[in-house]
């Protein structure tokens, strides 16, 4: 195993054949597509779930957050498993578990069963998604990685874009169960290609950091559990405060262990001394908090607030969520030339502006025409952030640590999404409710203002990212 590890790490990514690179981008993109699709595809089906199951607001939140919670808490574990046991092997395992969870979600007979199945899906995605970015980073040299990651970001954007439309079309034309059944044949078809077309590679750590895995999982669970439960239990409740305290204590213990006790740490803390790595991860947390909090409200806005059907709502959201498919590949290529900072900063600023303009328009009597331009502005912003953050994170560390970098980035992204949805729901319930369309609009606008504020804070953070010259100098050192 030692010989295999050393050969895999030393072999330059430029040595991969062009056809294998194409397969790597295709399979990594499809894996990311499935994972990102299931973050948002449920959003358009929320009113149908509420009617079919008699689900409460808490149940609706959990159909999304159960996936995101497990995703956030286990993604560092998924990246570490890939480094230790092989990225191709664990990609296959993650894809199989995700497909199984999709089938279980489709067969759910009530909110509890659906939430449990979404936990299984999230566990599979936690292994699958960070490895998609690692496989690309391992296959492409640094000077060509931005284009490949831009394509990856575009495909990820396709999942975000297609989610509301697909969810609406399937929910209206068939039933909400089919939004999960569709994953099954795709996952089964991908398995044999992934087994034969992807090149196996390993990280630099010959042993798993089991203590670190447990401490990180428990700590992230506590931090994610608190905002998910806060809208029902209250931010000052014993449950929420205990979860927050446990999360902080276990994460502090994790950091201490990684610094002093771990022989092969799953998270080298020295990476956080790299400004590019730290800024990009903070931006990822804030952009996904903003994105998923806004998405949770906007998909319901078109149905509950404005009276559209699920399909009509999904089509109208498309002007926002289709932008990554169009813009992300271009942004990724330009980031190779001009650096990631302009695209992170500009993208987050545009997302904040778009959501702020949207919040201003959300009032009784608003028409769809008034919402189109804000949605497009926010969508262009998201498109610029996706590839630039991913490129900045993986380029800031040695190639052997690309899996670790992707795992940290995905953990913070998903944790940000959990906080974003929880805070948006909390603000919504403080100012409005589901009693009438007018009541819904009363709560929706303040929730969107909070999502806009999160993106604005992300823009401030992104302004401190390294310049293009500094990124180039770091790349030479690595």
């Amino acid at each position: 195993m030692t010989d295999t590890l050393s050969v895999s790490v030393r072999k330059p990514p430029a040595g991969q054949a062009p056809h294998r690179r194409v397969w790597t981008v295709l399979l990594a993109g499809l894996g990311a597509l499935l994972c990102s699709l299931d973050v948002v595809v449920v959003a358009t089906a929320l009113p149908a779930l509420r009617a079919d199951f008699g689900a409460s607001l808490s149940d609706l939140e959990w159909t999304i957050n159960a996936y995101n919670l497990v995703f956030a808490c286990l993604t560092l574990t998924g990246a570490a498993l890939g480094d230790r046991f092989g990225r191709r092997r664990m990609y296959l395992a993650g894809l199989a578990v995700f497909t199984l969870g999709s089938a279980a979600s489709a067969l759910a007979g009530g909110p509890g069963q659906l939430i449990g199945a979404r936990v299984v899906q999230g566990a599979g995605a936690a292994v699958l998604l960070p490895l998609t970015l690692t496989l690309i980073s391992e296959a492409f040299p640094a000077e060509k990685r931005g284009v490949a990651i831009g394509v990856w970001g575009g495909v990820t954007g396709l999942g975000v874009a297609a989610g509301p439309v697909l969810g609406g079309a399937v929910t209206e034309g068939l039933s909400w169960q089919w939004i999960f059944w569709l994953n099954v044949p795709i996952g089964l078809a991908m398995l044999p290609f992934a087994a034969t077309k992807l090149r196996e590679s390993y990280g630099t750590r010959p042993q798993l950091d089991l203590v670190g895995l447990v401490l990180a999982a428990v700590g992230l669970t506590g931090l994610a559990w608190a905002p998910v439960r806060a809208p029902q239990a209250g931010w000052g409740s014993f449950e929420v405060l205990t979860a927050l305290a446990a999360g902080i204590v276990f994460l502090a213990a994790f950091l201490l262990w990684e610094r002093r006790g771990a022989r092969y740490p799953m998270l080298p803390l020295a990476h956080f001394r790299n400004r590019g790595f730290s800024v990009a991860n903070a931006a990822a947390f804030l952009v996904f908090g903003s994105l998923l909090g806004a998405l949770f409200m906007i998909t319901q806005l078109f149905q509950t607030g404005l009276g559209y059907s699920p399909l009509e709502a999904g089509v109208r959201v498309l002007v926002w969520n289709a932008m990554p498919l169009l813009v992300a590949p271009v942004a990724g290529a330009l980031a190779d030339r001009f650096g990631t900072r302009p695209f992170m900063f500009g993208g987050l600023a545009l997302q904040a502006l778009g959501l702020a303009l949207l919040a201003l328009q959300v009032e009784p009597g608003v028409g769809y025409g008034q919402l189109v331009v804000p949605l497009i502005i926010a969508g262009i912003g998201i498109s610029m952030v996706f590839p630039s953050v991913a490129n900045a994170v993986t380029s800031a560390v040695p190639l052997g640590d690309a899996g670790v970098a992707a795992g940290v980035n995905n953990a913070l992204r998903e944790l940000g999404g959990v906080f974003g949805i929880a805070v948006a729901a909390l603000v919504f319930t403080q100012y409005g409710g589901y009693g009438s369309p007018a009541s819904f609009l009363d709560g929706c606008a303040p929730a969107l203002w909070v999502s806009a504020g999160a993106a604005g804070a992300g823009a401030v953070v992104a302004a401190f990212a390294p310049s293009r010259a500094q990124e180039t100098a770091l790349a030479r050192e690595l």
Side-chain angles (χ1 to χ4, degrees):
M1 178 64 75
T2 303
D3 292 341
T4 303
L5 287 175
S6 61
V7 170
S8 297
V9 173
R10 287 199 304 262
K11 185 174 181 179
Q16 288 201 27
H19 76 278
R20 194 174 290 275
R21 287 185 185 173
V22 172
W23 276 108
T24 299
V25 172
L26 177 62
L27 290 167
L30 285 173
L33 172 64
L34 290 177
C35 295
S36 60
L37 186 67
D38 271 62
V39 173
V40 298
V41 72
V42 182
T44 316
L46 291 177
L49 287 169
R50 187 157 59 93
D52 196 4
F53 288 154
S56 64
L57 176 62
S58 175
D59 292 330
L60 297 181
E61 283 186 82
W62 274 105
T63 59
I64 297 177
N65 277 336
Y67 180 85
N68 290 341
L69 179 65
V70 178
F71 202 161
C73 296
L74 295 184
T75 190
L76 273 176
T77 302
L81 290 173
D83 282 354
R84 174 64 181 87
F85 296 110
R87 290 151 180 168
R88 179 182 63 188
R89 184 178 293 121
M90 295 312 302
Y91 176 100
L92 289 167
L95 179 59
V97 171
F98 180 88
T99 304
L100 177 65
S102 297
S105 297
L107 294 170
Q113 293 177 21
L114 177 58
I115 291 167
R118 291 282 282 168
V119 167
V120 177
Q121 267 195 314
V127 176
L128 181 60
L129 186 60
L131 295 181
T132 64
L133 193 54
T134 308
L135 288 166
I136 289 177
S137 298
E138 198 272 339
F140 287 84
E143 65 273 12
K144 295 182 179 179
R145 200 174 297 155
V147 177
I149 290 177
V151 173
W152 174 88
V155 175
T156 304
L158 175 62
V160 177
V165 179
L166 181 63
V170 171
T171 299
E172 190 171 331
L174 296 169
S175 67
W176 63 263
Q177 287 88 346
W178 279 94
I179 64 180
F180 299 110
W181 278 128
L182 291 175
N183 293 333
V184 177
I186 297 173
L188 292 176
M190 288 171 59
L191 285 169
F193 287 104
T196 56
K197 301 298 184 181
L198 293 176
R199 189 174 79 90
E200 187 62 283
S201 64
Y202 299 83
T204 56
R205 294 162 187 80
Q207 295 179 9
L208 276 178
D209 176 15
L210 295 177
V211 175
L213 290 178
V214 173
L215 292 175
V218 175
L220 288 171
T221 300
L223 289 184
W225 184 270
V228 169
R229 287 290 299 144
Q232 289 75 45
W235 281 98
S237 67
F238 177 79
E239 177 186 355
V240 170
L241 292 177
T242 301
L244 280 174
I248 293 170
V249 169
F250 274 88
L251 278 184
F254 167 71
L255 295 176
L256 184 62
W257 169 258
E258 295 298 287
R259 182 180 179 183
R260 297 182 179 179
R263 184 177 180 184
Y264 299 103
M266 62 182 289
L267 177 59
L269 297 182
H271 290 334
F272 284 97
R273 291 199 291 268
N274 183 312
R275 183 155 51 97
F277 184 80
S278 297
V279 167
N281 279 303
F285 178 89
L286 291 165
V287 73
F288 266 74
S290 170
L291 171 62
L292 292 189
L295 182 68
F296 181 76
M297 298 309 308
I298 291 171
T299 52
Q300 296 184 81
L301 165 66
F302 285 120
Q303 296 179 70
T304 305
L306 303 182
Y308 293 113
S309 70
L311 177 58
E312 291 171 337
V315 171
R316 283 162 175 77
V317 174
L318 192 60
V319 297
W320 176 35
N321 285 341
M323 289 297 110
L325 180 62
L326 303 174
V327 178
V330 178
L334 291 176
D336 275 343
R337 182 176 180 183
F338 299 106
T340 56
R341 181 170 65 185
F343 297 92
M344 272 196 289
F345 173 78
L348 281 156
L350 285 175
Q351 184 176 345
L353 175 62
L355 293 179
L357 292 174
L358 192 69
L360 285 171
Q361 299 293 338
V362 173
E363 57 185 19
V366 64
Y368 177 67
Q370 297 168 263
L371 306 179
V372 171
V373 172
L375 287 171
I376 291 175
I377 292 173
I380 293 173
I382 295 167
S383 308
M384 295 166 65
V385 179
F386 279 170
S388 57
V389 163
N391 197 1
V393 167
T394 55
S395 298
V397 300
L399 181 60
D401 283 343
V404 172
V408 172
N409 185 244
N410 281 287
L412 290 172
R413 278 173 38 167
E414 300 308 319
L415 193 61
V418 170
F419 270 87
I421 292 173
V423 173
L426 177 64
V427 173
F428 169 76
T429 56
Q430 293 295 313
Y431 292 92
Y434 290 111
S436 66
S439 177
F440 181 89
L441 295 175
D442 287 341
C444 183
L448 289 174
W449 275 114
V450 171
S451 295
V460 174
V461 170
F464 292 93
S467 66
R468 174 58 176 161
Q470 291 169 327
E471 288 179 334
T472 302
L474 174 63
R476 292 196 187 102
E477 294 176 7
L478 297 176

